[in-house]
Amino acid sequence: MSQEMKVIVFKIKDKEYAIPVDKVSGIEKLLHITRVPKAAHFVKGVINLRGVITPIIDLRVRFGFEEVEYDDSTRIIIVILDGMEVGLIVDSANDVLDIPLNSIEPQPEVVGQLASEYISGVAKIEKRLLVLINLENALNLEVSENMLKEG
Amino acid sequence: MDMNQYLEVFIEESKEHLQTASEQLLVLEKNPEDLSIVNEIFRSAHTLKGMSATMGYEDLANLTHKMENVLDAIRNCQIILTPEVFDVIFLAVDDLEAMVMSIAEGGDGKRNVSQVVHQLDVIEKGESPVTSSAAEVAATSAVLDREEMTDREYDEFEWTVLQQSNEQGFNSFEITIELRADCLLKAARVFMVFEVLEKSGEVIKSHPPVELLEEEQFDQQFTVTMITKESSEEIQKKIMKVSEVDNIVIHTLDLEGVRHAVNIKEDQIAELANKGIEAEHVMLPSDSTEKKKQQSVKPASSKTIRVNIERLDILMNLFEELVIDRGRLDQISNDLDNQELHETVERMSRITSDLQTIVLNMRMVPVETVFNRFPKMVRQLARDLNKKVELEITGAETELDRTVIDEIGDPLVHLLRNAMDHGIEAPEERLAKGKNEEGEIQLKAYHSGNHVFIEIDDDGAGINKERVLNKALSNGIITKETAATLTDKQIYELIFASGFSTAETISDVSGRGVGLDVVKNTIESLGGSVTIDSKEDEGSIFLIQLPLTLSIISVMLVAIQEEKYAIPLSSIIETAIVKKEDIMSAHNQQVIDFRGKVLPLLFLKDIFEVPASQEEEEFLSVVIVRKGEKLAGLVVDSFIGQLEVVLKSLGNYLTSAFAISGATILGDGQVALIIDCNTLIP
C-alpha cells in the first residue's frame, strides 16, 4: 500500500490545483477586503479574519492570469506559512482528495502558462490533473520581483 | 517525582524572593541598625534555599545556605555590617539571580560560585573580607555571641522554675539538637523531638522560639532547655531515635552560671557601648523575636494568580470579536425597532464596555517591575565608578501596558548608566563646584492624559554644547552651516544621532558603541518619544513619553473616496476646511497659508493611489498633523469622526506597507488602515 497525501483542491481558470491540507487552516467566503496602498500588485489587501488582520493574495494575478469579477463561488483559502496566515483568492474550492504519493510526478518544464517556480509537482488521478502549489515560492514577495524582471 | 510542573512556580517565586532580598538589602544599607530587615532577607533566603534543595539545585541551595549563615550572624550581631560585607552579599544575590535565570532558560543552574562562597565564609568567620581592622571588633561581638549560644539567658519566671525544679531534684538540661543538612521536613522533626522530650519531662524554653521552629525558621540546629528526672544519656538515646537527627549535645545547666552570665553580658554591653558601638547592634534575642512576630502579623498582600500573557491576548481577541458582533446587533435592533431587543442590546453594550475596561486593565503592569532592579544596579555602578549617587524613584505604581513594560527596561538602563557615567561628576569635582558630594538621580513616572511619562533627572554636569557640536562635526553628523543654525534643544538631540558618543574614553559603563540612538529607536518603536533638557553644571532631564497602551489608541477616522483610514490623534493638531483657491504652489509642492505659516499639503488620494470615483469638491478637508516641529496638511475627502480603536499589526507578510503603521477593525467588521504620519512627513 502506498502512502497518501490529503489535499485541498481548488480551481483557477478551470484548472485544478492542490495544497496539502495540513497547510490550510480554513476556507472562507469572500469578505470585505481593505486595499493596502503600494503593496505588491497581487496583494489584494487585508481582511478581518476573526479578529486577526490577514493579508490576501489573488492567485489569478499571482499566476499571471487575467483578473475576473469575484462571484458567489469565489473562495479565500487561508494557508499557514512560517506561522503567518495568508489568504489566497481562488475561483472555487470544493474538494478534499487523498492522492497517492507515487502518483505525484516532479514538476514538468512548463504547465500551461504557469511559471514553474510556483509548482512543486503534478498529480494524475484517473482523468484529473492536479497541479501541486509550492506555497513558499507562491507567497514569496521577492521571487515575484525577480519574475517581473525576467518577464 | 516529576518536578517539571513545579519548575515554573519555582522560577517565579525564586525571582520574587531574590527581588525582595535585594530590595531589603538596599534598605538595610541605609539603616544598618534595623535588624528586622535582616530577618526579612533571611526569610527570603531561607525559603529560596528550601525550594532549591527540593528542586534539586544544589549549587543554588549551597550558596543560599552560606548567605543565610552570614545573615544569621548579622542578626545575631556577630558581624558588623560594613560596605564590604554588603558588596559580598550583593554579589551572592547576583550569582543567585544568574543561576535562577539559567534555570529559567532551561539550564542546570550550575555556576562557579567558589569565590563568593569563600568570601561569605570569611565573613562568617567574623573577619572582614577586605579590612582586618574591623575584624577585631567583629571578634569581640562574636565571643559575646558564642556565650549567648551556650548560656542563654532566662527571664525571671523561667529562672524561678528552673531553681524550684532543681530544689525538687529535677535535672535541668540544655540540649542542642542538630538536624541533618538534607533534612527536608524540619518542622516535622522538631515536632517529633518535642514529643519525645515532653514525654520525659518539661520543656522550659527553646531557641529559636517554638513558633519559628514550626515555621522552619532555623538552620540545622536548635536548643531547648528542659527539666526532667531522667539522665542525660537516656534523653540522648530517646532523641536519637528520631530520624534525620545528626548530633545532640546535652549539658547540665548550672544555675549559678546562668545568673553570672547574664551579669557578664550586661557588663559587656556597656563596655561595647563605650567603645562607640551602638547598643542596638547587640540585640537581645527576646527583642528580635518580638520584631519577628511583628513582621509575621503583616497583612497579606492582595491575592494574585499568574496568567500566561498569551491567554490574555486570546481573551483580548475574543473580546474584540464580541465588540464587533455587538455593533452588528446594535444595527439589527435599530432596524427591527423592538423595545425589548433595544433594552437587551443596550444592557449588553454596557456590560461589554465594562468588560473592555477590565480586559485592558489586566494587561497593565506597574512600572515598578522595571524600576525595582535599578537601585541595585545604581549602587553597584556607583561603586564601580567611585561616585556617590542617590537614586530616588517616584511613581513606581504608574501602570503601563505589558508590551511597553517588556521593552522599556533596556532603554532606561542605558539612560541611567549614561546619567551616572557622563552626568554625575566625581565627588571631588562636585565639591569643587559647590555641590553636594552625593549626586542625585530622580527617576519619575507619571500619567498625563493618554500618555505615561518617565523622567530621568540628574543633577550632574549637564550637556556641554560645545563638545556635542564639535563631536557631531567631526563625526560628520552635521555640517558647519547647519551647526550655526541649531537651537539648544536641537544640539542636545544630536546625542541621539547614530554614531555619536561624547565619552572621551570608552568606559565599560556606557559608550560601548551602542549609542543613545538605540534608546531613541526603541522608544519610538513603542510609539513614544524622548526629549532632553539640560543646563550646564546643573544637570540634565531626559523625558520619555510613552503611550498608555499599545493596543488601544484614539484615532480620527477619515474617508478617502470609498476607503476609510485612521489617523492617530496623537499626531493631529487640528482639522481645517480649505477653499481650493487658497492653495498655492511652491516648488512643485502645493501649500496653504496656515496661521501665517506655510503648510505643505499632502494629497492622500494620490499618495495612496486610491481609485478615484468621485468628483473633486470645491472645499478640501485637511487634517493638520505634526512630526516633531514640522507640520503638514493631509488632504482627505471627509472626516468621519473620532473613536478609540484596537491597534493591530498588519502581520509579518506586509512589513513594507508604505506609511501604514497598522490596522484596526471597525464596528462593521471591516479593516481600516492606520496612517503613520512620521513616514508621510519628510
Side-chain angles (χ1 to χ4, degrees):
Chain A
M1 224 190 93
S2 67
Q3 282 186 306
E4 294 188 325
M5 179 167 73
K6 217 183 240 318
V7 295
I8 300 276
V9 180
F10 59 88
K11 276 191 188 168
I12 295 175
K13 219 184 169 190
D14 296 324
K15 270 209 171 71
E16 288 193 304
Y17 299 84
I19 302 173
V21 79
D22 56 2
K23 291 203 167 141
V24 176
S25 75
I27 298 174
E28 303 285 331
K29 286 196 178 174
L30 205 60
L31 298 161
H32 180 272
I33 300 176
T34 301
R35 192 183 64 92
V36 177
K38 299 202 176 173
H41 65 294
F42 55 87
V43 176
K44 284 282 124 185
V46 290
I47 59 162
N48 161 25
L49 182 69
R50 283 178 289 280
V52 179
I53 308 284
T54 311
I56 300 298
I57 285 174
D58 190 332
L59 274 193
R60 269 186 173 261
V61 184
R62 181 55 160 160
F63 291 165
F65 302 146
E66 77 277 14
E67 281 184 71
V68 289
E69 285 280 309
Y70 301 140
D71 55 30
D72 282 347
S73 62
T74 306
R75 292 289 178 275
I76 301 175
I77 301 181
I78 311 292
V79 296
I80 305 169
L81 191 73
D82 299 331
M84 27 179 215
E85 289 194 324
V86 177
L88 308 175
I89 295 182
V90 299
D91 290 358
S92 67
N94 36 25
D95 217 349
V96 181
L97 273 188
D98 284 319
I99 54 171
L101 284 183
N102 58 16
S103 74
I104 301 174
E105 290 163 28
Q107 62 171 85
E109 283 300 302
V110 177
V111 181
Q113 328 168 317
L114 185 50
S116 54
E117 273 84 354
Y118 305 145
I119 300 169
S120 63
V122 175
K124 216 181 206 168
I125 298 153
E126 289 155 27
K127 282 187 177 170
R128 296 166 79 174
L129 189 73
L130 300 180
V131 178
L132 295 171
I133 304 280
N134 179 339
L135 275 183
E136 283 78 3
N137 284 349
L139 300 187
N140 196 322
L141 294 169
E142 279 162 33
V143 171
S144 80
E145 299 309 312
N146 295 339
M147 293 294 305
L148 281 177
K149 274 174 213 154
E150 281 167 32
Chain B
M1 190 163 59
D2 179 25
M3 290 291 189
N4 272 338
Q5 52 176 322
Y6 303 118
L7 192 60
E8 209 172 308
V9 179
F10 166 74
I11 291 166
E12 284 303 315
E13 291 199 351
S14 306
K15 280 186 194 161
E16 263 172 33
H17 284 296
L18 285 174
Q19 186 55 45
T20 322
S22 41
E23 272 169 19
Q24 295 296 327
L25 273 172
L26 286 165
V27 180
L28 182 66
E29 199 176 21
K30 292 205 181 92
N31 321 294
E33 63 283 343
D34 188 354
L35 290 193
S36 65
I37 301 170
V38 183
N39 280 326
E40 193 92 354
I41 306 167
F42 185 83
R43 210 167 301 147
S44 289
H46 186 78
T47 320
L48 187 61
K49 182 179 84 171
M51 287 194 305
S52 42
T54 319
M55 296 296 290
Y57 297 113
E58 283 178 20
D59 283 1
L60 201 55
N62 285 342
L63 183 53
T64 356
H65 179 66
K66 292 278 177 220
M67 200 169 105
E68 213 184 276
N69 286 349
V70 172
L71 290 168
D72 194 40
I74 292 171
R75 71 175 178 184
N76 289 333
C77 310
Q78 246 167 305
I79 293 172
I80 303 286
L81 286 166
T82 60
E84 288 75 24
V85 173
F86 272 112
D87 277 349
V88 176
I89 300 176
F90 271 120
L91 256 166
V93 174
D94 279 346
D95 274 331
L96 290 174
E97 252 163 24
M99 282 151 109
V100 172
M101 284 318 284
S102 125
I103 293 168
E105 279 153 20
D108 53 4
K110 292 206 185 303
R111 191 180 161 91
N112 185 2
V113 289
S114 52
Q115 206 195 335
V116 179
V117 168
H118 173 72
Q119 279 175 301
L120 285 172
D121 275 338
V122 170
I123 297 175
E124 199 191 334
K125 280 177 198 135
E127 295 159 26
S128 167
V130 181
T131 52
S132 56
S133 62
E136 223 173 303
V137 187
T140 11
S141 57
V143 169
L144 181 71
D145 199 78
R146 229 156 263 147
E147 234 160 331
E148 203 180 291
M149 293 291 280
T150 48
D151 289 317
R152 344 223 112 261
E153 76 256 22
Y154 298 90
D155 61 30
E156 202 59 36
F157 172 73
E158 287 158 350
W159 198 77
T160 323
V161 173
L162 285 173
Q163 205 170 30
Q164 280 173 2
S165 45
N166 198 28
E167 281 160 13
Q168 286 165 23
F170 283 90
N171 297 319
S172 314
F173 293 125
E174 207 172 66
I175 310 166
T176 304
I177 297 142
E178 199 179 329
L179 296 175
R180 286 215 329 246
D182 56 355
C183 174
L184 284 181
L185 291 165
K186 293 197 290 188
R189 300 298 166 215
V190 170
F191 178 75
M192 288 161 88
V193 169
F194 270 71
E195 207 180 37
V196 168
L197 294 177
E198 260 149 23
K199 271 184 193 155
S200 336
E202 207 170 331
V203 177
I204 305 268
K205 189 181 175 76
S206 76
H207 177 89
V210 186
E211 303 91 6
L212 294 185
L213 289 176
E214 277 169 359
E215 286 166 20
E216 302 198 351
Q217 301 278 350
F218 66 105
D219 268 335
Q220 262 67 49
Q221 60 171 19
F222 60 97
T223 308
V224 291
T225 312
M226 72 175 299
I227 45 172
T228 175
K229 291 230 160 163
E230 295 174 39
S231 72
S232 61
E233 289 78 23
E234 277 173 297
I235 300 275
Q236 180 151 19
K237 271 183 207 155
K238 279 186 181 170
I239 301 175
M240 274 320 256
K241 287 229 174 82
V242 177
S243 49
E244 293 191 305
V245 169
D246 210 27
N247 193 21
I248 301 165
V249 180
I250 300 185
H251 66 261
T252 318
L253 208 58
D254 171 12
L255 289 180
E256 287 311 304
V258 172
R259 266 281 143 125
H260 186 61
V262 173
N263 293 338
I264 285 185
K265 211 165 140 39
E266 274 160 9
D267 288 349
Q268 277 185 339
I269 291 170
E271 207 175 308
L272 282 174
N274 286 343
K275 278 186 188 167
I277 293 167
E278 285 166 75
E280 286 100 310
H281 275 262
V282 194
M283 197 174 280
L284 300 178
S286 55
D287 284 2
S288 63
T289 44
E290 228 165 73
K291 285 230 165 142
K292 264 175 225 157
K293 274 182 201 155
Q294 276 169 8
Q295 292 271 331
S296 56
V297 193
K298 216 162 56 177
S301 52
S302 60
K303 283 182 184 162
T304 54
I305 57 163
R306 285 172 218 290
V307 181
N308 194 323
I309 190 92
E310 231 168 75
R311 287 196 195 169
L312 286 184
D313 286 344
I314 295 171
L315 182 65
M316 184 86 172
N317 268 340
L318 288 175
F319 179 75
E320 282 156 16
E321 284 287 289
L322 193 67
V323 169
I324 291 161
D325 282 343
R326 180 188 70 183
R328 280 187 199 147
L329 211 53
D330 217 18
Q331 222 159 3
I332 294 170
S333 99
N334 276 339
D335 293 347
L336 289 180
D337 199 24
N338 176 316
Q339 189 57 33
E340 266 183 73
L341 184 63
H342 262 319
E343 280 169 17
T344 319
V345 171
E346 187 92 336
R347 219 180 114 68
M348 206 185 102
S349 302
R350 243 177 295 136
I351 294 173
T352 37
S353 49
D354 285 353
L355 196 60
Q356 176 174 9
T357 325
I358 290 174
V359 172
L360 288 177
N361 273 344
M362 277 202 296
R363 294 177 51 89
M364 301 296 271
V365 181
V367 274
E368 196 178 357
T369 49
V370 180
F371 283 5
N372 59 18
R373 61 182 154 124
F374 293 150
K376 203 172 88 182
M377 185 196 88
V378 167
R379 176 196 180 274
Q380 189 56 44
L381 205 58
R383 284 184 75 84
D384 289 351
L385 291 168
N386 285 324
K387 289 179 182 176
K388 288 193 175 168
V389 181
E390 168 83 23
L391 178 71
E392 195 183 304
I393 295 180
T394 45
E397 72 285 344
T398 313
E399 284 185 331
L400 267 171
D401 190 87
R402 175 65 192 245
T403 22
V404 185
I405 292 275
D406 288 347
E407 296 292 323
I408 198 67
D410 287 347
L412 287 181
V413 167
H414 207 102
L415 288 177
L416 277 176
R417 282 169 168 267
N418 191 65
M420 294 188 64
D421 200 15
H422 306 314
I424 304 287
E425 311 91 331
E428 314 83 62
E429 204 180 325
R430 289 183 66 87
L431 285 175
K433 283 181 182 173
K435 290 189 196 178
N436 197 341
E437 188 184 22
E438 191 176 60
E440 193 178 55
I441 297 181
Q442 288 185 27
L443 184 59
K444 293 183 222 164
Y446 52 91
H447 273 285
S448 180
N450 240 344
H451 289 92
V452 165
F453 291 87
I454 299 177
E455 206 177 298
I456 296 174
D457 199 341
D458 70 71
D459 68 344
I463 297 169
N464 185 325
K465 278 182 278 182
E466 287 296 298
R467 259 171 63 198
V468 170
L469 274 180
N470 289 339
K471 193 87 180 182
L473 280 171
S474 66
N475 285 358
I477 295 167
I478 49 164
T479 58
K480 269 221 160 80
E481 292 75 49
T482 47
T485 63
L486 291 176
T487 63
D488 283 3
K489 273 226 158 159
Q490 281 170 319
I491 295 172
Y492 300 143
E493 303 281 324
L494 284 175
I495 67 172
F496 284 126
S498 66
F500 188 92
S501 175
T502 46
E504 261 133 36
T505 53
I506 290 176
S507 70
D508 68 326
V509 176
S510 54
R512 275 173 296 188
V514 196
L516 286 171
D517 55 320
V518 180
V519 173
K520 191 178 163 140
N521 288 343
T522 317
I523 291 168
E524 282 181 353
S525 76
L526 291 170
S529 62
V530 54
T531 50
I532 315 171
D533 201 7
S534 180
K535 255 192 188 155
E536 217 170 336
D537 283 336
E538 279 177 35
S540 323
I541 300 171
F542 287 80
L543 185 64
I544 302 170
Q545 181 184 349
L546 291 166
L548 204 50
T549 157
L550 283 188
S551 41
I552 300 256
I553 57 168
S554 296
V555 296
M556 167 153 215
L557 207 60
V558 299
I560 304 167
Q561 304 288 349
E562 297 293 304
E563 300 182 351
K564 287 173 189 163
Y565 289 87
I567 304 172
L569 274 193
S570 55
S571 31
I572 298 180
I573 305 248
E574 59 178 292
T575 55
I577 305 283
V578 177
K579 259 196 196 162
K580 228 173 171 179
E581 300 102 79
D582 290 346
I583 299 176
M584 295 168 283
S585 194
H587 301 288
N588 295 329
Q589 169 72 60
Q590 292 189 292
V591 297
I592 49 166
D593 175 51
F594 175 69
R595 302 200 179 148
K597 269 190 192 169
V598 175
L599 186 76
L601 286 183
L602 301 168
F603 289 82
L604 289 186
K605 193 169 59 189
D606 302 335
I607 292 171
F608 289 151
E609 296 161 347
V610 182
S613 59
Q614 288 169 12
E615 280 297 302
E616 280 195 24
E617 290 167 36
E618 198 187 333
F619 290 95
L620 297 177
S621 305
V622 180
V623 182
I624 295 152
V625 295
R626 74 184 154 97
K627 174 200 186 185
E629 305 283 297
K630 284 185 212 164
L631 298 180
L634 306 182
V635 181
V636 300
D637 286 345
S638 64
F639 310 128
I640 298 175
Q642 180 190 331
L643 70 164
E644 300 248 299
V645 296
V646 180
L647 179 62
K648 304 222 168 204
S649 129
L650 275 184
N652 294 329
Y653 192 67
L654 293 173
T655 43
S656 54
F658 172 76
I660 298 296
S661 63
T664 185
I665 296 168
L666 301 176
D668 58 2
Q670 291 191 10
V671 180
L673 301 176
I674 296 169
I675 296 173
D676 178 10
C677 298
N678 285 341
T679 32
L680 274 181
I681 304 174

